[in-house]
Every structure is written in structure tokens, then in C-alpha cells.
Amino acid sequence: MELISSLIIVSAQTFEGKITDAQSHKSIPFVNISLKGTYNGTVSDANGNYKLKIPQGKDYTICFSYIGYQSKEIKQSLLKNNPNVALQPSLIPISEVVVMPDSTLRSFLRKAYDLIPKNYPDLPTSYQVFCRGGIQNGNEEYIRFNEVLLRAYKPSYHNKSDGTVEVLKTRKYRESEQSDDFRYFYYGGVHSIHNDDIIKNRSIFLEPHKDYNYKLVGQEHYNDRKVYVIAFKPKQGKKLRYKGKFYIDVKSLGYLKVELKPTDKWIEERYNDILGLHRDIKGKDFDFVVNYNILDSIFYYQSSYYKEKLVHKDSIYYLIDENVVTSMQKDSVQKIPFEQQTPISYVPTLEATEYAQSNWKDYATMPNAIEIDTIMAKELFNKPTPKPSKKEILIKILSRLDGAFGVTYFDYSMPASQINLSYKHHNFNKQLDVSSTVLNFETWMIYKLSPYHGIGYKTNASLSKSYHSKAGALYYNLRLPIKTVGKNVYGNISLGYSWRNFGQSLGTSNSDAEFKFGGKKFTADKVRAFTGLKQHGYETGFNLMVQLRTMLYLNVGANYFWANKTQETIYIKEAKGIFRTEANEALNQSDINYQIDGVDSTISGVINNNWGLSLGISICF
């Protein structure tokens, strides 16, 4: 059964409550809440509130678990009467307190790191995830947010391969009066269930590192299991970005929770981009928590929470991003088909349904981000759907673009010969050796109509003064997925119309007076001439894209060109200057005198062998 079917909850009973410390009565955030014997459930939010949907037809037992507290199990029938839950702190006897020297602690951390493949899923898993991300004002009230329901495919923890996601439902809310005051526009990343998985990504501070100090700072209990709390921070003088704590199960050495905080280095670099796009925004602090849960002795990703404090024009804002796994499938897991995968460029703010037009009563698994009273609801539902701004339209277009740059090798030939060219008062004489290659700098761009289909445009120009080469093509691109989990690999087949101008250099000539050539006026004191071809025709190609980083790919390809129109041509362009005039004329013009080895000719001698190779870097949004 596919995971998507679990989104349809028939006759579900909803429980909403708050989880607190039984002694201090303070709220407890990120408590794992599950239906006993399953991986279905949720977590409490940053304020201890929770929202849980339970299918009817059975009296489930609900489990509440949190590190440092005694776990609690409550029958569904009893929870209905009082959904608020108080957890008792678990006390560590003095006899259990452990002091661990640095060498022993590093050995302990090394074992925990090496046991990741054993303690975490060794086969692919599939998750149903509820995501929320947005901006809060200084009173911690949402002024805009996105909510997304998605399916996530996560490969084995034996390596760091990224997984894939499929967005199933999404909605957005924007409180216009306040949100307009904050220029930073939050878009949210639906791939954060993979990016936030510190254990699978083998973040640098997990493995005992010479640039970090580690210290055992406490012991806790979790479901009757002893847990060590280990703090880490950069050594003095080491400019690293993070510090935090690990919560490690002593028996299995599995990581149950990781907490991160920023260092001064992170605060210094945050929003300090080269273009200065965020120069009026300052990052001050953040809290990042990743939780894992245990099922049948295996640790699974459960939730992540990120809250960053920002200052913009002397006002405080909070950037929020949270993910909660509501169900998990670990048997006979199928990959998400390529055409259903949501790309890294997906922007919920642009694609989502307006909050007022959405109905999520059967789906939401976290407390509401905003409380809508009757008056506000009437205003929301009567408000017309806002038109997208120019910025939103631009970003939506850009998110469909792939860009690339690199070098292209064209194969052509010209036999060794003495070339003489005269045009008006200019004379060019050159002894040419056998030539057979052209190396160009190439850029290309593809607008994706769908995951498979796109329209592309590319241009290239010569990298050497020894030849003149300019070419372009407009083409259809078919993208074929070869590998879509981990480091992605794609094949691209293209077919389109191409135009090519290229020629061999005949040297330079001094110009004492201005002259016209090819309908253009030349005024420079020195010009360079080239002999070659001007062609139009059809081009087909194939290239292989291999992922290097999140949006960077290595591109290797080949192409073939069929000319349906060829003109033997002379090119002249100014030898100096930033903006150089250049033009071309057919070689058979009466005012052009062209000789090969002393024999008049209207044939340049250049032959296009029609094939080429390319190597470059693609940026795929």
C-alpha cells in the first residue's frame, strides 16, 4: 500500500492538548507522541501544544515520550476526557552519575558514529510529513507561513545519499499589514526533511573532530533507557559555525536528539552575502533541534525544529521551519517516480493555495499556526485571491530555469596553405598549418515545461584570436532520469535549429582610413580578418549530467550538426577595444580578392566536420 493513501483519514478523532512538566507546570516542547506499536503520531510544538488524529474503530494506547521524563501511556478513551498531559521528570540516582575523561568520551563518540549504519534504517523508508515554515513578529505571532503535506523517500543510512519528496498539499497565509514591513520574503524548503537529518548527513561535528571540544554534561532517561548528554563547541581560535549537544542512548549508542546553537562565526557571516541582498537583516541567534524515535531497536527521523531570531529595521522577527513525521513505512518501499518528484526549486509561497480557500481539517497534525475567529474568517473568505507580485512572477519563472557554462570543442579542418586576401586598401597574407580544432566558451539555458520536457537556447564564442567562432541554437530538450536518489544522474537529448559562424585567422592589417565592410563602418587603426563558413542547419546532441552538489552538476556531452545552408565567408573585426565592430561578407563578392596557394578561389578551404564535444557545469534550480 502506498503511503499517500494514509492521508485519507476516515472518521478520525482529533485530540488537542498541552504537555507540561508535572512539577514545574512548564510546557514541554517536541514530545514524541505515538500510537503504541506503530510509527504513527506527531510531536508537541515549541509551546508544548499538540494535535493528534486517531482513526476510529479501536481504542488505541497513546505513548508520550521525552528525554529526561518518565514515559506515559494513556488509553484513547481516557485521553478524550483530559487531553492535557503532565510528565514526571526522571531522576538520576547519584550512584549512576558518570565522569568520563576526554579520551574515553572521544572513543564513545567514535563508536556511536561508526554504528550509524547499524542503528538507523539499512533499507529505504517512506514518510508522511507535515511541514510548516514562516515568519513571526516580535510577539511570536505568524505574519506569514506555508504549510505542506508531503511524502518523503529516504535511502538507507549506509551512506549520505539525499532522498526525494513529493508535495501532496500546500497552503499559505499572509497578514499583509505586518508582512509588508518585513522585506525578507520566506519561501521555505520542502526538502528540509533530508537537509535537517544531521545523522544521515554525517555532519562534521558528529565524528570526534580535532577542532571541537566534547564534554559529558548530564544523564537522562528515555523510555527506561539511559541517555548521555554530550556538549560540543569549537576549540578556542577555531572559527567554526556551530555548537550544541548530543543525546545518545548508552546501550545502543544511537543518537536520539541533536541540538544546535550558533557561534560568533555564524552570526558574523549570516546574511553577509556578496550582493548585499540582505544587508538590512541581521541574524542574532537560532535554536535547531532534530529528534529521532526508536521502533524495533532502529532509530528513525521523527521531527526537526528551527527558530532563528532576526533584526530588521530595529524590529524583531523569527524565522520558523518545522517538520513532523506523522507516519512511516519501512517494508517494500517504492521510490517516488521522477515525474512526481518535487524539485529543489519548488517554492511553496508561489504554488500554495490561499489559507482561506483550503480545507485541512482531515490533515493538519500540528496545532493551528493562527486562530481564526468568526470576524476574521469572514474577512478571509470574502477577500479576493491576491495577484502575484512582479517579484513572485519573476521567481516562479527563474525556478524553472537551468543554466550552464563550459567549453565546447568543434572539429573542423583546413589543409596547410598560403592564403592571400585583399579588400580595398587592406592586404592579409598568412601561411596556415593544418588546423582541426576550435575551442569555444559556451553558455546555455533551459526553461523546463515539465520534469521531462524543456526549451533551450545556447550560445558560444571563441577563446582564441587564432579563429573566429560564434554559434547559437534553439532546441527542444528531453530529460531522462538515470539515477534520482542520492547523487542524481540525468541524460539530455536535444534537437533544434543552429547557426554557426567560424573561420581561421589571416592575421591583421593596419587601417589608415575608415571603411565599410558588410554594411558596417570600421574606424579602428587595426583590423583582423578570418576566412571560413557561415552555416545554418539542424543540431542534435546528448549530454550526461552528474550531480556534484545540491544544484551543481557536471555536464559532459556530444553533438552533431547538419547544414542546410552554407556560405563561404570572410569575417573582419576590429583588433582592439571592448566593443569591437565586426561584420562578414560572402567570399564571392567582386571587391574581395582571395587566393589559396596563388590560385583565385571563392572557396575558403575550411571544412566543418560537423561534430563537437562539450564539458561544463550546470546550475539546476
Side-chain angles (χ1 to χ4, degrees), residues 388-434:
S389 66
K390 292 180 180 179
K391 180 181 178 182
E392 290 174 331
I393 294 172
L394 177 61
I395 291 176
K396 194 167 186 177
I397 293 173
L398 291 177
S399 68
R400 287 182 170 269
L401 291 178
D402 288 349
F405 62 91
V407 292
T408 298
Y409 167 94
F410 285 127
D411 185 72
Y412 80 99
S413 59
M414 185 173 187
S417 53
Q418 173 66 42
I419 304 295
N420 300 302
L421 168 67
S422 61
Y423 175 77
K424 295 187 177 180
H425 59 285
H426 291 284
N427 293 291
F428 303 88
N429 303 285
K430 191 166 186 180
Q431 176 65 47
L432 297 180
D433 297 325
V434 175

Side-chain angles (χ1 to χ4, degrees), residues 31 104 178 200 264 266 310 358 382 407 452 490 519 521:
V31 175
T104 305
Q178 293 190 62
K200 191 174 196 316
D264 292 341
W266 181 92
L310 306 171
S358 67
N382 290 333
V407 292
Y452 289 101
Y490 301 115
K521 182 186 294 185

Side-chain angles (χ1 to χ4, degrees), residues 62-328:
I62 295 88
C63 304
F64 297 83
S65 305
Y66 190 72
I67 294 174
Y69 288 82
Q70 297 176 18
S71 299
K72 197 167 191 175
E73 296 184 356
I74 305 175
K75 280 288 188 180
Q76 177 181 343
S77 54
L78 298 176
L79 189 66
K80 181 179 180 181
N81 299 326
N82 182 15
N84 296 323
V85 178
L87 299 182
Q88 287 286 349
S90 57
L91 302 178
I92 304 294
I94 294 296
S95 60
E96 292 187 21
V97 176
V98 175
V99 177
M100 194 178 294
D102 183 79
S103 59
T104 305
L105 182 57
R106 287 180 178 273
S107 176
F108 177 84
L109 289 172
R110 164 56 63 185
K111 290 179 181 178
Y113 184 87
D114 291 342
L115 284 171
I116 288 175
K118 178 182 177 181
N119 284 327
Y120 295 80
D122 61 354
L123 294 173
T125 46
S126 186
Y127 298 86
Q128 177 181 307
V129 187
F130 182 89
C131 311
R132 178 185 291 149
I135 299 291
Q136 294 179 341
N137 60 20
N139 296 323
E140 300 187 51
E141 301 166 333
Y142 276 104
I143 58 176
R144 61 165 68 114
F145 64 82
N146 311 309
E147 291 181 338
V148 180
L149 290 167
L150 59 84
R151 177 165 60 131
Y153 173 89
K154 193 179 285 287
S156 161
Y157 278 68
H158 280 276
N159 55 58
K160 298 189 290 184
S161 297
D162 287 336
T164 55
V165 302
E166 177 190 6
V167 169
L168 304 172
K169 290 178 71 70
T170 180
R171 67 180 179 180
K172 61 185 177 182
Y173 168 79
R174 178 178 179 180
E175 204 289 310
S176 58
E177 290 185 7
Q178 293 190 62
S179 60
D180 286 343
D181 293 335
F182 185 57
R183 187 180 57 80
Y184 182 90
F185 200 80
Y186 178 79
Y187 293 103
V190 296
H191 288 257
S192 56
I193 182 178
H194 300 307
N195 301 333
D196 291 354
D197 193 343
I198 287 174
I199 306 304
K200 191 174 196 316
N201 294 332
R202 310 294 203 274
S203 297
I204 185 173
F205 41 75
L206 281 183
E207 186 176 14
H209 195 280
K210 60 182 178 62
D211 292 337
Y212 280 97
N213 286 322
Y214 299 89
K215 183 180 180 181
L216 179 64
V217 295
Q219 297 175 73
E220 303 286 358
H221 280 116
Y222 178 78
N223 284 347
D224 299 323
R225 306 169 78 105
K226 187 185 295 184
V227 177
Y228 282 163
V229 184
I230 299 173
F232 66 92
K233 64 179 181 180
K235 290 183 177 179
Q236 188 171 0
K238 299 298 182 181
K239 295 185 177 181
L240 300 171
R241 295 166 60 87
Y242 305 109
K243 59 185 178 181
K245 294 178 181 177
F246 306 131
Y247 294 75
I248 300 178
D249 175 49
V250 175
K251 182 178 180 180
S252 66
L253 274 64
Y255 300 83
L256 277 164
K257 182 166 74 169
V258 179
E259 297 176 348
L260 291 185
K261 294 285 289 181
T263 63
D264 292 341
K265 178 68 173 175
W266 181 92
I267 294 173
E268 175 187 335
E269 294 181 347
R270 183 64 164 166
Y271 302 114
N272 188 22
D273 57 276
I274 296 175
L275 299 177
L277 299 176
H278 303 109
R279 57 184 176 273
D280 55 349
I281 299 174
K282 299 297 180 184
K284 294 297 183 181
D285 194 10
F286 74 74
D287 291 290
F288 180 49
V289 181
V290 185
N291 292 292
Y292 298 84
N293 210 345
I294 308 172
L295 180 65
D296 299 330
S297 301
I298 299 297
F299 292 72
Y300 296 90
Y301 173 93
Q302 175 64 53
S303 66
S304 57
Y305 177 82
Y306 179 83
K307 182 177 183 179
E308 180 183 345
K309 182 179 180 181
L310 306 171
V311 176
H312 173 65
K313 296 181 179 179
D314 298 325
S315 296
I316 300 295
Y317 295 90
Y318 296 96
L319 172 64
I320 307 293
D321 187 39
E322 48 192 329
N323 301 281
V324 177
V325 172
T326 59
S327 65
M328 184 269 295

Side-chain angles (χ1 to χ4, degrees), residues 17-62:
K18 191 178 185 72
I19 304 174
T20 57
D21 183 303
Q23 296 181 8
S24 68
H25 306 297
K26 292 182 178 179
S27 60
I28 307 176
F30 318 125
V31 175
N32 285 328
I33 306 166
S34 62
L35 307 184
K36 189 174 182 178
T38 76
Y39 203 80
N40 297 339
T42 185
V43 299
S44 61
D45 67 11
N47 299 312
N49 299 309
Y50 75 92
K51 185 174 186 177
L52 177 67
K53 290 188 175 294
I54 304 176
Q56 291 187 353
K58 180 180 178 180
D59 189 13
Y60 286 93
T61 297
I62 295 88

